[in-house]
Amino acid sequence: MIKTMPCVRIKLTDTKPTIFDSKIGGLGYIPQDKNFPCDSQGNQLRLLAQIDCSQVNFENFPKSGLLQFWILNDNVSGCDFDNGTKQDGFRIIYYSESEIDRKITEQEIMSKFVKNAYDDDNMHPVKKEYSICFMSGNSVNFGELNEEEYEEVLQELEDIHHQIGGYPFFTQWDPREENSKYDFLLFQIDSEYAKGTDWKVIWGDTGICNFFICSENLKKLDFSDVLYNWDCY
């Protein structure tokens, strides 16, 4: 029997999200007294994803508030492949429900926008703004499957691996080989083609992105130590 693990699957939709909704791409919530996160060179980061945690029913995951994933839109999407936990070209930000000002408008947040050095290069992996729909499901450890099991799983599952929790998916190797404490898949976003048009999400040459956290830190809502990596074929 193929071993499975519970996860929350993510589907991208064309519904227009607000600044408080779950989404990938677009404009994320920013409080009145704060600004876009920046890297050490002063370049504003761009929103990769925002999760309305009240929509995610998963053990140890925040029950409310907004969890945000910001990245630099340069040619490596803000990832330091030598130190995947260095939150410079990426940033994880969590706002508890009590910290969120629902009166903030999209126009107020957009007024904080300052063009960075990469905005004209169209290198952000998310090509436009998409809403997120969450579904309970299971994932499998592809690395433990034999050829027959692999083909069986591909017939049952969509070949797109957007998810929270469960077994991660990689095109190359697991970056946690020397960092085994990062035992929970906080967020995974795959490359996805928009049929008949262009890519919705594209990591390098059709790769995949993972964010990992230690379960104990997740319970404490401490997102200061997160491992970020993406790879491609």
Side-chain angles (χ1 to χ4, degrees), residues 6-22:
C7 70
V8 173
R9 295 198 174 279
I10 293 170
K11 182 177 181 180
L12 309 184
T13 76
D14 289 319
T15 304
K16 172 66 176 175
T18 73
I19 55 173
F20 305 104
D21 289 336
S22 296

Side-chain angles (χ1 to χ4, degrees), residues 115-200:
K115 196 171 182 178
N116 72 25
Y118 308 98
D119 282 328
D120 291 331
D121 297 331
N122 194 31
M123 291 187 290
H124 196 292
V126 179
K127 298 311 176 184
K128 72 171 197 177
E129 184 180 52
Y130 294 95
S131 289
I132 290 175
C133 177
F134 299 99
M135 302 163 288
S136 60
N138 291 289
S139 66
V140 299
N141 186 347
F142 282 81
E144 294 182 352
L145 302 182
N146 60 40
E147 185 174 349
E148 182 178 342
E149 291 171 330
Y150 184 82
E151 292 300 323
E152 177 186 339
V153 169
L154 286 186
Q155 290 178 8
E156 293 179 357
L157 299 177
E158 292 186 18
D159 194 22
I160 300 173
H161 308 279
H162 308 319
Q163 67 190 60
I164 295 169
Y167 291 112
F169 185 82
F170 312 100
T171 61
Q172 299 292 333
W173 54 81
D174 190 337
R176 302 171 298 166
E177 290 178 355
E178 297 180 2
N179 297 286
S180 59
K181 70 175 184 177
Y182 301 102
D183 59 336
F184 184 80
L185 182 59
L186 186 62
F187 184 68
Q188 177 172 278
I189 185 75
D190 201 352
S191 293
E192 179 177 349
Y193 191 67
K195 296 176 182 176
T197 54
D198 205 342
W199 291 96
K200 292 182 178 180

